[in-house]
Amino acid sequence: MISERKIWKEKFGEWFRKVIAEAGILDYRYPIKGCGVWLPYGFKLRRNILGIIRKLLDESGHEEMLFPLLIPEDLFARESMHIKGFEEEAYWVTHGGSTKLSVKMALRPTSETVITPMAKLWIRSHADLPLKIYQIASIFRYETKATKPLIRVREVTTFKEAHTFHASHEDALKQVREAIKIYKKFFDEIGIPYIVSQRPEWDKFAGAVSSYAFDTVLPDGRTLQIGTVHDLGQSFAKAFDLTFETTIGGREHVWQTSYGISERGIAAVLILHGDDHGLVLPPNIAPIQVIIIPIPYKDMEELVNEAGKKVENELKEGGVRVKLDVRSDITPGSKFYEWEMRGVPLRIEVGPRDIKERKVTFVRRDNFEKLSCEESELVEKTKSLLADTRENLRKRAGEWLNLHICKAKSLDEAKKLIDSDFGIVQVPWCGKKECGLEIERGVNARVLGVPSAKEKVAGNCVVCSQKGEFLVRLAQAY
Amino acid sequence: MISERKIWKEKFGEWFRKVIAEAGILDYRYPIKGCGVWLPYGFKLRRNILGIIRKLLDESGHEEMLFPLLIPEDLFARESMHIKGFEEEAYWVTHGGSTKLSVKMALRPTSETVITPMAKLWIRSHADLPLKIYQIASIFRYETKATKPLIRVREVTTFKEAHTFHASHEDALKQVREAIKIYKKFFDEIGIPYIVSQRPEWDKFAGAVSSYAFDTVLPDGRTLQIGTVHDLGQSFAKAFDLTFETTIGGREHVWQTSYGISERGIAAVLILHGDDHGLVLPPNIAPIQVIIIPIPYKDMEELVNEAGKKVENELKEGGVRVKLDVRSDITPGSKFYEWEMRGVPLRIEVGPRDIKERKVTFVRRDNFEKLSCEESELVEKTKSLLADTRENLRKRAGEWLNLHICKAKSLDEAKKLIDSDFGIVQVPWCGKKECGLEIERGVNARVLGVPSAKEKVAGNCVVCSQKGEFLVRLAQAY
């Protein structure tokens, strides 16, 4: 499978820009760099993907809410590490009309400093804990690096951030594990492979005790962080003096976590499943699952359109998201091109022979396999092909990631692999910060972090040669 | 019905602030004035209401999209009337981190100047028209007047704005009529009565040729604008040079409309259906349609809870949004109070006698009527009571509005009525601007506008005594 996507891999940046525009996902020609417009087809895909994460969060006891965008400077600056990490990334509102505001306000780059002071109004005792909430909203980051559609933008239009509050560190850590589990389910649902790493001390979320991240590998060998989970300890609770009455009557600071995913998850779907012909959308999130294209022969236009209509109705009744393309001003070939570009997982062609033989002809988008079935098996066959497509996409994306994670024994070897755009390279590391930074410098790449504790392995640190406690993951990262 | 809500009417401002907080709709204690937090229950209500408008727009050929929040100053200032109307209302982003931006950016107060330049990239010829799109997003207004929950806020979190593009003024005017029809359906669905007026020349949307508005009357006699529809003519098309190739090959500027509703529609639902006990939510948008409260007697707690569970399951299977309140630490009376406050349209009480007699006891939220039915009729009876409740709410809100619209023959009479918080007062008007402004000054109220053309009536203008062409509507307006 992978080899078929070779051309696409080599020029993937160009491919991505072209495809999201041509497929009607986003238009980035808005005059502010890093701000795009969700087009109708893209908006529907986004809605379907958000439906999956909403369901997972609702089912696990999270409540959806909506918080203000603007953060007064004094609130935003309350937690010292947080403001240090975010102050150069925030956009500032300084004027209302021509009036200078007495307190300037940041556009939220994340909402810890919005939500913690509100939680302080809601949490009084242990009986109010745990509190698990989330919102889906736009966040803003003043990006000075080159922007890239959905990956490095200034308005992140699709940020899902969850915030939880707990009576003990233990309970918060349990929540961190639940969050990782929820995100695993989410990425599995949309067929995106991932590796979960605990980020190194020097690359944690600003204000966190520890940060865990989901990374995947893009066709150019660079990793994309697609989700993060943070144990916030009591940092924000202390900064905002958020306390609760314990079961024995004292007061203690609340323990917090936060975890977020963004439109980078959508980018991963578009990029990792796509091919030279355009997008290939997993059927469970595709706005259109089946496109029906009548193949007209002279004097038979009406007949094939009617047969197409019949197929459409039957699939609709079967609960399939289906569209019949009856445009008469373009050829079936052009329609093939357009719907392949847009990633519709299954095409049905309806021609005179199909009608005569009472057959249905399918073409799968993922592997272009042509198949047919009896008319009577239409709905059943469609569903099984959609299920197969989904599984195949998940599998081939998973294989892609596996092929791009390896181990190296020395810094030199690691550097060579990373320079050749291999993907994620792992080397033994003693766990000390100075060696970690030395590794980063040595390979000119980023330390993604280490696997969870139980995967600890032996090996000599590539810097200090002491016994390594971890295999640390390195990559060129977006 | 109305008289039962007397106390509530007299102190409605206070009532509103208390109820939205206690009922778990919004929390306005955020440190920026006019910015609130949607709480879980309120968020679900908002989602249900948005579901109705989305359906109406999708079914009438509108496509949902999402546009950037930030507007570069030069774009925002392109249409001269528009910037004149909005420049003092806009929040300005001037810095990214500590860097001063070369072009300052407004937070959208509305999106004509965001969408028109994008439409210019999409529209080439008459074949691309009409184009009908919408988005649901936050908008920002630098309000200097006193803020009021959902009614006068700085972050309008729930703004639905539609924008349409047409090949002729005639087609745009047809769209204005369709938009009015869609909004009528929407407000009918949520049981909110309205009066539609064409706003006077001096109170149009900044940049519009003409503006139509939906107003309703609040308990304090003041009107609330809950929806607007604008014929934008070619104002924005000319400012942005948005043209299309006509059928005969020439180029012409596109004709536009825009129409919006906001969270003021939600405010109207909360205020107009509410009573002294709190909210009364129309069943079709209520997050919880039926609350089941077990009435425990000594040693029968388990029995009533089990019977409640049975009722809950049956209603769930019947497609009813139902909740069983089994909390054991509070009394049934406290539960009644809480769910009445939250506006759940129907209560089912399950006690030993109901179980014994195989009956179900209902209490309606809208009129506190107590009813019962056989166990076997549960689902059917519930649905018919919910339907009755919905119809009753719609009807009584409609009666309220009708009782607060009247005619006056002179400015004096009009002023007296308006000063007594009557509601909307209509007087004959010749149609000339100077007389209109004189009327506004004379009654110290706002001219809402005139009915649509076919309702024109005769009468002598209350200012110049010339034959009046219209009955003009006056009110204290929010």
Side-chain angles (χ1 to χ4, degrees), chain A residues 383-434:
Chain A
K383 290 193 172 172
S384 97
L385 286 174
L386 290 175
D388 284 357
T389 298
R390 185 177 163 191
E391 182 51 26
N392 182 42
L393 291 178
R394 199 192 59 72
K395 206 173 137 235
R396 87 179 180 190
E399 282 166 5
W400 160 262
L401 180 61
N402 285 337
L403 284 173
H404 292 82
I405 300 177
C406 72
K407 291 176 195 171
K409 281 185 187 127
S410 67
L411 271 188
D412 267 2
E413 192 189 345
K415 187 167 189 331
K416 265 180 210 149
L417 283 160
I418 283 173
D419 286 349
S420 71
D421 303 328
F422 175 82
I424 298 171
V425 181
Q426 305 178 96
V427 294
W429 172 45
C430 60
K432 287 200 297 286
K433 183 174 173 182
E434 59 264 35

Side-chain angles (χ1 to χ4, degrees), chain A residues 211-237:
Chain A
S211 290
Y212 302 82
F214 285 67
D215 294 293
T216 194
V217 175
L218 296 190
D220 59 359
R222 291 172 75 175
T223 55
L224 184 69
Q225 174 178 299
I226 50 176
T228 50
V229 178
H230 312 294
D231 167 18
L232 300 177
Q234 295 174 310
S235 314
F236 290 90

Side-chain angles (χ1 to χ4, degrees), chain B residues 22-125:
Chain B
E22 270 199 43
I25 304 294
L26 283 149
D27 191 327
Y28 274 100
R29 289 176 289 173
Y30 189 66
I32 299 176
K33 198 175 84 154
C35 293
V37 176
W38 281 96
L39 300 170
Y41 187 69
F43 192 87
K44 287 186 185 85
L45 173 68
R46 175 181 180 271
R47 186 195 58 195
N48 292 348
I49 292 175
L50 290 179
I52 291 175
I53 189 67
R54 278 200 164 101
K55 188 159 179 283
L56 288 169
L57 290 170
D58 292 347
E59 283 172 358
S60 51
H62 298 73
E63 301 257 32
E64 188 166 0
M65 299 176 71
L66 193 57
F67 289 84
L69 169 71
L70 300 168
I71 316 177
E73 186 179 20
D74 53 325
L75 231 55
F76 190 52
R78 198 72 67 85
E79 208 288 321
S80 57
M81 293 305 292
H82 190 70
I83 181 68
K84 216 175 141 189
F86 279 108
E87 66 186 346
E88 276 305 312
E89 276 192 36
Y91 279 108
W92 291 99
V93 175
T94 58
H95 288 73
S98 50
T99 309
K100 191 171 179 201
L101 302 175
S102 57
V103 177
K104 66 178 183 175
M105 304 183 292
L107 304 188
R108 67 178 159 233
T110 176
S111 300
E112 280 73 10
T113 58
V114 173
I115 295 178
T116 309
M118 291 309 294
K120 193 177 165 169
L121 302 169
W122 305 328
I123 295 168
R124 304 197 174 277
S125 86

Side-chain angles (χ1 to χ4, degrees), chain A residues 4-46:
Chain A
E4 288 176 21
R5 300 192 286 166
K6 196 167 175 332
I7 301 165
W8 162 73
K9 276 188 282 174
E10 283 168 3
K11 299 182 173 177
F12 121 85
E14 195 183 303
W15 173 93
F16 188 43
R17 283 190 183 273
K18 176 173 174 276
V19 164
I20 58 165
E22 270 198 44
I25 303 295
L26 284 149
D27 192 327
Y28 274 100
R29 289 175 291 173
Y30 188 68
I32 299 175
K33 198 175 86 154
C35 293
V37 175
W38 281 95
L39 300 171
Y41 187 70
F43 191 87
K44 288 186 185 85
L45 173 67
R46 175 181 180 271

Side-chain angles (χ1 to χ4, degrees), chain A residues 284-320:
Chain A
N284 58 324
I285 51 175
I288 300 169
Q289 296 173 310
V290 178
I291 183 74
I292 305 167
I293 298 182
I295 312 294
Y297 281 76
K298 207 173 157 18
D299 301 329
M300 296 191 73
E301 288 85 354
E302 211 168 302
L303 187 74
V304 291
N305 281 347
E306 265 172 34
K309 188 79 202 155
K310 205 176 138 235
V311 171
E312 186 193 19
N313 288 338
E314 232 177 285
L315 288 177
K316 254 187 199 158
E317 271 171 41
V320 177

